[in-house]
Amino acid sequence: MNVSVDRQVCQGHGLCVINAPDSFELDDVDGKASPVSSVVPSDQEAAVAEAAESCPEQAIVIE
């Protein structure tokens, strides 16, 4: 599984970091999310999927 965040859509709500803290981080400057790595470890796939579903802006893209 690969993950990315559309930073033009992200509003920095931080729900992704709450749901998948090992897979997402918030930028210290603009507060927007980004994945720690574009490749999601298999043990984090469920948390990343939950984070994508919980994103109010639907900014998380899973492939």
Side-chain angles (χ1 to χ4, degrees), residues 23-38:
S23 296
F24 294 97
E25 58 192 2
L26 295 178
D27 188 288
D28 289 337
V29 176
D30 64 11
K32 294 185 179 186
S34 61
V36 173
S37 172
S38 62

Side-chain angles (χ1 to χ4, degrees), residues 36-55:
V36 173
S37 172
S38 62
V39 178
V40 179
S42 60
D43 65 331
Q44 291 295 312
E45 289 181 356
V48 169
E50 184 176 334
E53 288 180 27
S54 72
C55 178

